[in-house]
Every structure is written in structure tokens, then in C-alpha cells.
Amino acid sequence: MIRPAATRKFGEKREAIVHAAAVLINEVGVQATTLAEVARAIGLNATSVTYYFPRKEQLVVAVYDQTLTLMEDIARDALSQADPAARLRHFIAAHVELRKRIRAGERGLTVALSEIRTLDTEVQDPLMAHYLRVVDLVRRFFGEWHDNAERALFSARAHILLEAVMWWPVWSIRYSVLDFARIEERLFDVLAHGLPAQRGRFEPEPLTGGWRTGEDDDATQNEAFLRAATVMINERGYRGASVNRIAESLNVTKGSFYHHHEAKDDLVLACFQQSYDRLSTVQIAGRDIGTDYWKRLSSVLAELVDLQFFDRTPLLRTTALQALDTEHKSGVVTRSNRLARRFAGMLIDGIADGSVRPIDPLVAGQVIMSTVNSAYEARHWAARFEQPEKAIETYLSVMSEGVLAPSR
């Protein structure tokens, strides 16, 4: 007979191991996290850890399941609220409170989900199914859908809302905990009601420039490596996009890869550089057209989401950040924040000319960044639309009218 005290002690030790592993995965990634390092972090030997988790993959799954279960609990609690507005408030407040606890010193509560795609299929599939349960709960925040179009709209809202709260930990470090209550309210405002002064206005102008991938495959070998690496990292994560796989997708040797890049991290940084250069070029092209600033901004957003949905070379997902070392990660985040601040500048100018309603431009700029970044994940969703323009408009309706706008 197992005694209750022994059962409790087993559970507490197991939880301590999972928390320690979560901290390490957040810091160094899945591949660099070992059972020995986890054991060392909590004063055990490796044999003691294997008593609870015989294989590393079992521990990794437990870490991800812990985060997904927490996300599911938050979503389920929010769904129990009376109406969509209350659900949205509850959901955002819970994620802000979680970050407050982490800032206060609690470690290992959550882990970034970016490396789930690097796991073997038999391990990955149950985790992805768990994540889809979370998505379904958030989709139901907005009510029951009556047709496929309304379901597609609610799916876009759920996707963007989840991405916004998962991006929040990255930019929250720039704020004091004393400002979190204010940020929580501003984040709700942006997501609930959108950006333009005239709610629902979305009349983007077409932009022209050199950021699209041509139909003719006349790219240089280095450009081809960047394209293949970007797509593969977006699909498989940093760890899953091995040099072998990238080279094989181009039918070239590993030697060709190392002719252009000394190491894989150099390639990832080059992919970030290319993506941010393209994003910046689109921003400038839209910023300089002769119209009000909401129309300029919506033109930029439409173009960027079009790239993410339909171009052969999408923008690199920021999920690749987790695998970079601290020095390189800091540089990429700095560049991302600069681009977010350019969006904020356009919003400020829009508030001044009356085309954007009074919102917090810094918070809104970060929501825009997560919305554009996450659009790649919605490629399959967008492919279901007969008209590409309708997919873009539906997705960006979160920006043009907010998630609380009537759907019918």
C-alpha cells in the first residue's frame, strides 16, 4: 500500500524536476537541456531524476504539458465568464498576473512552446492536440458560430489573442510591475476595439517594392539557403531545421552550406536580418504614401500578412529566438522593438490626424508585431478562402475592429 505522505513526496519531487527543466529549456533550449543539468539544478544526481523520468523525452513532454495545462485552465476559467468582454478581460488579466508571479521570483511556471515542432511525431502530436484544445476554448470566447465564415473569424481572433499573450512575456520586461495594471487595461482596449477611429475601416492600398519572391527561380545560392532555412525553421523550429535537411531541400551538399555560413546560428541571424529588412522596407513604403496614417498602416499590415500567407519566402517566426544565445537574442529583440516603435510612430501620427483612435501606441505596436509574426501559422487557414484578399481582411479585422465587434 502506498502511503499518502509518500505519494505527496513523490509528486512534489516530480514537480520540482519539471520546474527545473522548464527553466533550463527557457534558457538554453530543449537540445541543450540534459537530465544531468536538471539534476544539478535541484541538488540531485542524474539517477534520481531517471527514477521519475527514465528518458529525457518524457521530461520534455511533462514540461510542455504543464504549460499547456496552465493555458487550458486559464482559457477554461475565462470561458466561464458571462460574456465575450468579461472573458477577454479575465484571460488577459490571468496572463498578466502570471508574469507578475514570475517577476516576483517564481521559476519554471511556463515554458515557450516554440520547440514542440522539433520533437518526434509520436511525442509532438499529443502536445499539438493539447494546444488545439486551448485554441478551441479561446475561439468559443466569442460565442457559437453559425457558419464557416463566422467560425473562420473566431479562429482568427483566437489565434491572434493567443499570440498576443505569448508575445507579452518578451516585451513585458521593458515595464515595471507597477505599470502592469495599466498595460493590462491598454492591451484589453487594443484587442477589444481595434485601432482606427472609424471602427471596421479597412481600405489598404497596394504597395510596390522588392520584398516579394519572384516566380522565376533565379535566386543566388545564398538567397536560396535563406529561403529554405526560413521556411524550414518556421515549420520545424530551430532544432528541427538541421543543416542536412536544409541542404537536402536544395539538393546541395553540406559543404555548400558552410561555404556561405560558418555555423547554423549565422544562418539564423541572416534569416532574421533578411526578414526584418523586408519588414522595414514595407513599413517605409507604406509610411510614405500620401494618405491618412491609418490607411498607411493598414496598407503595410495587408502587405505583410500577404507575405506571410502566400509568398514563397515568408518572414521568419520569432520562435527561433529561443535557440539563440543571449548576446544574439538581445540584438534580434532590439531590432524587433525598433520595428514595433516604427508602428507606434505611425499610430501616433494617426492619432494626430484623427484616423486612429486614442490608444497606447507602444502596446498596440507590440500587438501588431505579434499579429504579423503569427500570420505564418495561419497559412492553412488562409488557404481555405477563395479570395486571398478576404483572408487578409478577415485576419486583420482584429486590428480594424477588434475581437468584440459584432460578427454578423
Side-chain angles (χ1 to χ4, degrees):
M1 178 178 177
I2 300 175
R3 298 178 181 276
T7 303
R8 184 173 61 253
K9 185 176 180 181
F10 179 93
E12 290 172 351
K13 186 65 69 176
R14 183 183 187 279
E15 184 177 2
I17 292 170
V18 171
H19 282 194
V23 172
L24 282 171
I25 290 173
N26 276 333
E27 291 177 351
V28 301
V30 169
Q31 185 172 346
T33 296
T34 65
L35 294 181
E37 287 295 330
V38 173
R40 190 176 298 113
I42 52 177
L44 296 176
N45 57 50
T47 303
S48 297
V49 173
T50 57
Y51 174 73
Y52 297 88
F53 298 99
R55 294 186 295 115
K56 174 183 165 180
E57 290 75 12
Q58 294 173 312
L59 176 55
V60 171
V61 169
V63 168
Y64 283 127
D65 256 331
Q66 173 187 260
T67 292
L68 288 166
T69 298
L70 177 59
M71 292 175 65
E72 184 176 3
D73 290 344
I74 290 174
R76 201 175 297 281
D77 287 346
L79 184 59
S80 69
Q81 304 302 305
D83 54 57
R87 294 165 194 159
L88 179 62
R89 283 191 181 280
H90 188 95
F91 188 72
I92 293 172
H95 281 278
V96 172
E97 178 61 29
L98 178 61
R99 190 54 38 185
K100 198 180 296 183
R101 289 170 58 191
I102 292 171
R103 187 76 70 86
E106 291 190 55
R107 306 185 75 202
L109 295 176
T110 64
V111 65
L113 302 178
S114 56
E115 291 195 89
I116 286 180
R117 282 190 179 82
T118 69
L119 304 176
D120 292 338
T121 302
E122 64 271 17
V123 175
Q124 180 187 144
D125 286 350
L127 293 172
M128 292 304 297
H130 196 168
Y131 179 73
L132 290 176
R133 292 200 300 271
V134 178
V135 174
D136 186 61
L137 288 170
V138 177
R139 180 166 47 223
R140 295 179 184 279
F141 285 5
F142 313 107
E144 294 297 325
W145 48 87
H146 299 87
D147 52 36
N148 288 337
E150 195 169 35
R151 187 182 191 279
L153 173 63
F154 291 174
S155 293
R157 290 177 176 179
H159 180 69
I160 290 172
L161 176 54
L162 280 164
E163 287 290 337
V165 296
M166 285 191 284
W167 184 240
W168 146 251
V170 176
W171 59 272
S172 66
I173 60 176
R174 303 176 64 195
Y175 291 89
S176 164
V177 172
L178 299 176
D179 296 318
F180 275 16
R182 177 186 173 279
I183 301 303
E184 178 184 323
E185 184 59 36
R186 300 303 186 268
L187 190 55
F188 170 84
D189 180 45
V190 168
L191 289 166
H193 306 301
L195 303 175
Q198 181 183 340
R199 191 174 193 178
R201 180 187 172 205
F202 188 72
E203 303 164 341
E205 289 190 9
L207 303 176
T208 57
W211 49 77
R212 290 189 174 276
T213 305
E215 292 299 322
D216 298 328
D217 201 0
D218 58 353
T220 66
Q221 191 173 74
N222 189 48
E223 289 171 339
F225 269 121
L226 291 177
R227 179 192 306 163
T230 296
V231 171
M232 194 163 293
I233 292 169
N234 281 354
E235 291 289 341
R236 294 175 174 268
Y238 174 85
R239 303 297 177 191
S242 67
V243 173
N244 275 337
R245 282 176 173 157
I246 295 169
E248 286 173 4
S249 72
L250 296 170
N251 197 27
V252 299
T253 65
K254 286 176 64 176
S256 297
F257 171 90
Y258 288 114
H259 175 72
H260 294 282
H261 304 280
E262 291 185 7
K264 184 177 167 184
D265 279 358
D266 295 330
L267 178 63
V268 175
L269 289 171
C271 289
F272 269 120
Q273 182 69 34
Q274 182 195 58
S275 291
Y276 285 167
D277 285 348
R278 294 168 76 202
L279 197 159
S280 177
T281 304
V282 175
Q283 284 181 320
I284 298 302
R287 187 195 65 185
D288 292 344
I289 61 178
T291 184
D292 65 72
Y293 271 90
W294 168 244
K295 192 163 188 177
R296 299 184 201 200
L297 180 57
S298 57
S299 300
V300 171
L301 294 178
E303 187 66 32
L304 292 172
V305 170
D306 195 325
L307 283 178
Q308 295 291 67
F309 282 172
F310 306 114
D311 197 78
R312 292 166 61 200
T313 310
L315 304 175
L316 185 65
R317 292 277 279 123
T318 52
T319 50
L321 271 173
Q322 187 183 6
L324 295 176
D325 60 48
T326 302
E327 180 183 353
H328 290 138
K329 186 184 298 185
S330 176
V332 172
V333 170
T334 296
R335 181 85 190 273
S336 174
N337 284 331
R338 288 173 182 165
L339 295 169
R341 290 181 74 85
R342 183 175 289 152
F343 281 131
M346 296 175 74
L347 289 165
I348 291 168
D349 290 333
I351 294 169
D353 72 18
S355 62
V356 174
R357 67 186 187 87
I359 43 88
D360 187 314
L362 295 176
V363 171
Q366 295 292 350
V367 173
I368 288 172
M369 287 295 288
S370 67
T371 298
V372 170
N373 176 63
S374 66
Y376 181 83
E377 299 287 348
R379 276 199 165 202
H380 294 300
W381 171 90
R384 301 190 187 107
F385 286 78
E386 293 183 5
Q387 298 176 313
E389 297 80 8
K390 188 62 178 177
I392 295 168
E393 181 181 359
T394 301
Y395 186 78
L396 286 174
S397 64
V398 173
M399 297 292 97
S400 65
E401 62 184 16
V403 301
L404 298 184
S407 59
R408 299 172 68 86

